[in-house]
Amino acid sequence: MEQVNSAIGGTTTVEVKVQPDHIQRIAEGKSAVQAVAEMIWNALDGDASTVEVKIVTNDLTGIEEIQVIDDGHGIPYDLALTSFENLGASWKKGQTSEEGRRLHGQTGQGRFCAYSLGALVRWKTRYRKEDRVYAYEITGTDFDPKKFKISPRVISKNKNTGTEVIINNPRKTLRSLLADDAFLRFTEVFALYLRQYPSVKIRYNGRLLDPGAVQVHVVEYDLEPATFQDGRTIQGKLTIIEWKHKVERELVFCDGAGFALHSIPPGIQARGFDFTAYLKTDYFRELHDNRLLVLEELLPDSVKLVEAAKDTMRAHFRRRLAEDARNIVDQWKADEIYPYEGQPRNIVEQVERQVFDVVALNVNEYLPEFSASDLKSKKFSLHMLKAAIEKSPAEARRIIQHVLELPKEKQEELSALLEKTSLEAIINASKLIIDRLEFLTGLEVILFSYEGKNKLKERQHLHRIIAENTWIFGEEFHLSVDDQSLTEVLRKHLAILDKDRTELAPVKTLEGGTGIVDLMLSKKIPQPRRDQIEHLVIELKRPSQDITSEVTTQIEKYAFAVAEDERFKGTPTRWIFWAVSNDMDKHTRRKTTNQKNRPDGILHEAEDQNITIWVKTWAQIIEACRARLAFFQEGLNYMATQDAGLSYVQELYSKYLPDELKAERAGE
């Protein structure tokens, strides 16, 4: 950069030592709204408490002049001489204003954006030095954008500081500044700043920017920390603002102070919501200063932050949809038009209402005539819909089609399910899934709580509960043997094969013992020639008993007794043995993990004998059950709480529980 002191009329000319086409690219890279926003940011960086933008039009409603007026500290004369000759090294970088505000400008390019608005730009500024206020003017033209003329400073009669940017000879492409949504676009841009500094006032063509007046909902989230390739851990913040008006949805990249640097489409579905999401981290300032921010899709670290933001946005709008649905139903109840009274008496009634709510909320969303109708009409329609769903699918179709007049695709969608099955079947299926989710949660409580872990016994308590819920080991199994000897295991095995089982000699372990099997589950697997049988033999241990060498030896004895007894041989049968408890000791864990060519948990495997022995923890079994139920759980949008799960187990299996767990239910 170089400074040229001109003697003409006492005016100083500063020249930016850069090619004119570079300045032109800076100017052309901004839209009209973005360029005016840069002028406002410059005013705010000067500690302005009030900024006013005026779009002056002529008689033909064309733009004559643009003014950006602020009451900030002005531009000190010495600072103008240096800052207007610099490009890419702004004095603002890393600084705060005199009043402690974070500064937006970092690269010294903002003033050149004015050239995208007009060919002639003037900065009339007043600043205070000691006890005097000085005034002077800076002028630039796009004819020679490298040069700025700075007039001599004079003592100002106006004792208030501030700067007025006046842009003349406007471009022909500025109609967007007069569009109806221009005011809203500026509101979106400065929403975070005005939330952080509520005393600041910005007016656009006489209208005060007030984000609160046009916002529906505002929330801020701390994202999960992301570990970058260079080892840094970065935690971004995400602010989501939902608007009352239509907006172009954006995910805005901001620095840590909330200054917008770049934006992309949000990349999520959020039906019915108009929003802007602001992703804040100083990492984006680094990318912006190095001109890498526009390449965010190619940078793995940026992708991590964006994906975390998308996950958070999806979760947010799922919650908001649920809230909106609840609000609608609550309003129906307040208006006394909801066709149910009081609380559901049981889970069946609860699911029945949920089915009704789903149908009714779809009607409310897709049928404007319904949502706009009076309370009497709504009440009639809701009661008709309730009766139709309960009566028959055909009746529901007639009500939906002729009374509520849903769009055709929604008629088919809502009626198809009711035509394929009955409402009773839907409710029963939903209840079965909910019961199982509550059982799994209740089982966790009694297995891992202090009372359960220390008081629960395998045969007296746990065994009896599990025997009635063998589905946790797989839907295809049925209970064959419950707490009986290996000889009874043989008897059941032969019965499945339709073989003679009279006068059976006892089955002995290698040491001569009889052995008692906790549970044996069996299933048939259809094959082209003859069915294959699969037996699952389970050895349960109380929660306080880890799986130790003693336990694994016991299950191995049972398995080897089967392997050595010739009466079990020569049949298409696969034997699987599980030892199950809350945990295992270090020796067993080391023995059954990180085995070459074997999954974790296998203790012994003999392909020639069709025998496999596993050690399993309850956490693994419960997690596998939840995985099988996850799809249905998501569809029902149901999460079993610990209280609900424990109550379910206590209600159904109280006779099998130790007194400590029974007393907890009774509140003793």
Side-chain angles (χ1 to χ4, degrees):
M1 310 297 176
E2 64 180 3
Q3 177 178 315
V4 180
N5 292 314
S6 301
I8 302 174
T11 297
T12 299
T13 299
V14 295
E15 182 172 342
V16 182
K17 195 172 184 180
V18 68
Q19 294 300 317
D21 61 342
H22 180 63
I23 297 175
Q24 185 177 3
R25 284 195 298 271
I26 294 173
E28 291 177 350
K30 299 287 186 180
S31 68
V33 170
Q34 290 172 329
V36 172
E38 284 291 340
M39 303 297 103
I40 298 174
W41 281 125
N42 283 343
L44 296 174
D45 285 350
D47 273 335
S49 58
T50 301
V51 183
E52 185 162 1
V53 178
K54 296 181 179 180
I55 309 297
V56 182
T57 58
N58 54 33
D59 294 339
L60 299 177
T61 67
I63 295 178
E64 190 80 21
E65 183 176 272
I66 299 171
Q67 302 173 6
V68 182
I69 306 165
D70 71 68
D71 62 354
H73 297 314
I75 307 172
Y77 195 76
D78 293 340
L79 182 61
L81 294 174
T82 56
S83 63
F84 268 76
E85 69 176 2
N86 289 324
L87 176 60
S90 173
W91 66 272
K92 301 177 185 179
K93 193 168 186 177
Q95 301 295 317
T96 58
S97 71
E98 292 182 17
E99 295 186 7
R101 298 186 204 164
R102 291 284 297 270
L103 301 182
H104 175 268
Q106 300 281 319
T107 59
Q109 297 183 4
R111 60 187 174 276
F112 296 107
C113 296
Y115 289 136
S116 68
L117 300 171
L120 175 62
V121 186
R122 290 174 293 158
W123 288 263
K124 294 183 177 181
T125 187
R126 299 180 305 278
Y127 71 98
R128 189 180 306 279
K129 185 175 182 180
E130 297 175 349
D131 59 347
R132 290 182 174 181
V133 174
Y134 294 92
Y136 67 97
E137 184 174 319
I138 305 169
T139 304
T141 69
D142 70 346
F143 176 75
D144 191 356
K146 296 185 355 177
K147 294 182 179 180
F148 293 94
K149 294 182 178 180
I150 303 177
S151 71
R153 64 178 183 175
V154 297
I155 297 175
S156 174
K157 295 180 180 180
N158 187 338
K159 300 306 178 183
N160 296 317
T161 61
T163 300
E164 181 178 351
V165 183
I166 303 170
I167 303 171
N168 295 109
N169 300 340
R171 308 293 181 191
K172 295 180 180 180
T173 56
L174 302 183
R175 300 296 301 176
S176 60
L177 296 178
L178 297 175
D180 293 338
D181 66 346
F183 172 79
L184 299 176
R185 289 289 294 136
F186 285 111
T187 303
E188 295 166 29
V189 171
F190 293 98
L192 292 188
Y193 189 90
L194 293 174
R195 279 174 56 83
Q196 187 173 0
Y197 303 109
S199 63
V200 172
K201 307 297 180 186
I202 302 175
R203 287 184 172 82
Y204 184 79
N205 258 359
R207 298 175 64 186
L208 181 68
L209 301 191
D210 182 7
V214 290
Q215 293 169 357
V216 176
H217 191 75
V218 182
V219 65
E220 182 169 293
Y221 296 99
D222 291 325
L223 301 183
E224 288 294 324
T227 301
F228 283 6
Q229 291 181 324
D230 61 5
R232 288 185 295 168
T233 299
I234 301 294
Q235 183 178 35
K237 291 182 179 293
L238 183 72
T239 300
I240 300 174
I241 298 181
E242 298 170 25
W243 306 100
K244 295 179 181 178
H245 55 273
K246 290 290 183 183
V247 300
E248 183 178 347
R249 298 173 178 176
E250 290 181 314
L251 175 59
V252 182
F253 295 169
C254 307
D255 62 15
F259 294 129
L261 304 173
H262 181 53
S263 66
I264 62 173
I268 67 163
Q269 298 294 324
R271 186 182 65 192
F273 291 96
D274 291 287
F275 69 92
T276 307
Y278 303 85
L279 178 54
K280 296 179 289 184
T281 168
D282 283 328
Y283 168 68
F284 287 148
R285 173 61 69 182
E286 294 177 24
L287 295 183
H288 180 268
D289 290 349
N290 290 296
R291 300 182 182 180
L292 295 174
L293 191 53
V294 294
L295 304 176
E296 84 287 339
E297 293 182 354
L298 304 178
L299 302 175
D301 292 338
S302 295
V303 171
K304 287 182 180 179
L305 290 171
V306 171
E307 289 304 314
K310 288 181 179 180
D311 289 343
T312 301
M313 285 189 285
R314 292 187 185 101
H316 168 81
F317 287 111
R318 280 197 298 269
R319 286 192 293 270
R320 292 287 289 127
L321 281 170
E323 289 172 7
D324 285 352
R326 284 195 298 270
N327 291 339
I328 292 171
V329 173
D330 288 344
Q331 187 60 52
W332 289 343
K333 292 177 180 178
D335 293 336
E336 298 182 349
I337 62 174
Y338 189 66
Y340 297 93
E341 295 181 358
Q343 295 298 320
R345 290 175 296 179
N346 50 51
I347 189 66
V348 176
E349 286 192 5
Q350 180 180 338
V351 175
E352 182 179 330
R353 292 193 189 191
Q354 290 172 350
V355 172
F356 170 82
D357 289 349
V358 169
V359 177
L361 288 167
N362 273 276
V363 168
N364 185 76
E365 180 176 357
Y366 288 98
L367 186 61
E369 292 82 357
F370 173 83
S371 58
S373 62
D374 57 34
L375 293 181
K376 183 177 180 180
S377 299
K378 283 184 180 178
K379 183 175 183 178
F380 170 76
S381 297
L382 291 175
H383 280 262
M384 288 285 288
L385 184 60
K386 173 179 178 287
I389 292 175
E390 291 175 347
K391 185 176 181 181
S392 71
E395 186 70 16
R397 174 183 284 276
R398 284 195 293 272
I399 294 298
I400 293 171
Q401 183 175 4
H402 298 296
V403 178
L404 304 179
E405 297 180 355
L406 277 172
K408 183 178 179 181
E409 64 273 13
K410 284 298 168 182
Q411 296 173 21
E412 296 172 354
E413 187 177 320
L414 293 173
S415 299
L417 182 60
L418 294 174
E419 288 185 345
K420 293 176 182 177
T421 186
S422 67
L423 179 61
E424 181 181 4
I426 295 173
I427 293 173
N428 288 340
S430 301
K431 183 178 184 301
L432 176 64
I433 300 300
I434 290 173
D435 285 350
R436 290 190 172 185
L437 291 170
E438 290 188 346
F439 175 79
L440 290 175
T441 303
L443 181 61
E444 270 187 323
V445 173
I446 66 173
L447 285 171
F448 297 106
S449 67
Y450 176 81
E451 294 85 354
K453 188 170 184 179
N454 289 281
K455 299 296 181 181
L456 214 61
K457 306 298 182 184
E458 59 258 35
R459 295 191 186 279
Q460 182 181 354
H461 305 130
L462 182 60
H463 186 131
R464 303 270 51 87
I465 295 172
I466 298 303
E468 296 185 20
N469 292 276
T470 57
W471 57 267
I472 65 176
F473 303 112
E475 300 289 349
E476 66 275 24
F477 286 106
H478 65 273
L479 182 62
S480 296
V481 172
D482 180 2
D483 199 19
Q484 293 180 321
S485 67
L486 287 172
T487 304
E488 286 304 312
V489 169
L490 175 61
R491 191 182 304 279
K492 287 292 183 181
H493 171 64
L494 295 176
I496 293 173
L497 296 174
D498 290 328
K499 291 188 176 183
D500 180 35
R501 48 196 181 276
T502 59
E503 299 182 3
L504 291 177
V507 178
K508 301 288 187 178
T509 65
L510 298 181
E511 289 78 14
T514 56
I516 300 297
V517 171
D518 287 342
L519 297 171
M520 184 179 84
L521 311 178
S522 303
K523 70 175 180 180
K524 282 188 176 182
I525 305 174
Q527 299 289 337
R529 295 184 179 179
R530 57 175 176 169
D531 291 347
Q532 179 176 322
I533 308 300
E534 188 169 297
H535 297 306
L536 174 60
V537 179
I538 298 170
E539 178 65 23
L540 297 174
K541 293 300 173 185
R542 64 184 183 274
S544 59
Q545 168 68 62
D546 287 349
I547 300 175
T548 62
S549 297
E550 182 180 348
V551 175
T552 58
T553 299
Q554 180 184 2
I555 194 76
E556 285 176 331
K557 286 180 180 180
Y558 296 165
F560 297 156
V562 169
E564 295 300 322
D565 194 307
E566 62 182 10
R567 291 169 292 181
F568 288 106
K569 297 179 180 179
T571 62
T573 305
R574 181 167 187 81
W575 292 86
I576 302 172
F577 293 81
W578 285 9
V580 179
S581 190
N582 278 26
D583 206 350
M584 61 188 77
D585 65 9
K586 292 181 180 179
H587 174 78
T588 305
R589 189 179 302 280
R590 188 176 295 112
K591 189 176 180 180
T592 58
T593 55
N594 299 321
Q595 303 178 82
K596 187 176 182 180
N597 300 325
R598 276 187 180 180
D600 288 351
I602 288 185
L603 179 67
H604 175 82
E605 188 173 30
E607 288 294 335
D608 58 327
Q609 297 172 327
N610 283 337
I611 287 179
T612 308
I613 306 174
W614 293 77
V615 292
K616 297 272 188 178
T617 65
W618 277 116
Q620 293 171 333
I621 294 171
I622 292 172
E623 184 59 31
C625 287
R626 285 210 172 102
R628 295 198 300 269
L629 295 171
F631 175 79
F632 305 101
Q633 178 181 4
E634 185 176 345
L636 289 171
N637 192 25
Y638 179 76
M639 180 67 69
T641 64
Q642 287 192 350
D643 288 343
L646 181 57
S647 295
Y648 178 86
V649 172
Q650 289 170 328
E651 183 176 349
L652 268 68
Y653 307 107
S654 178
K655 60 184 177 181
Y656 301 140
L657 293 175
D659 291 339
E660 288 77 7
L661 290 175
K662 293 178 185 177
E664 184 176 330
R665 179 186 66 162
E668 297 176 4

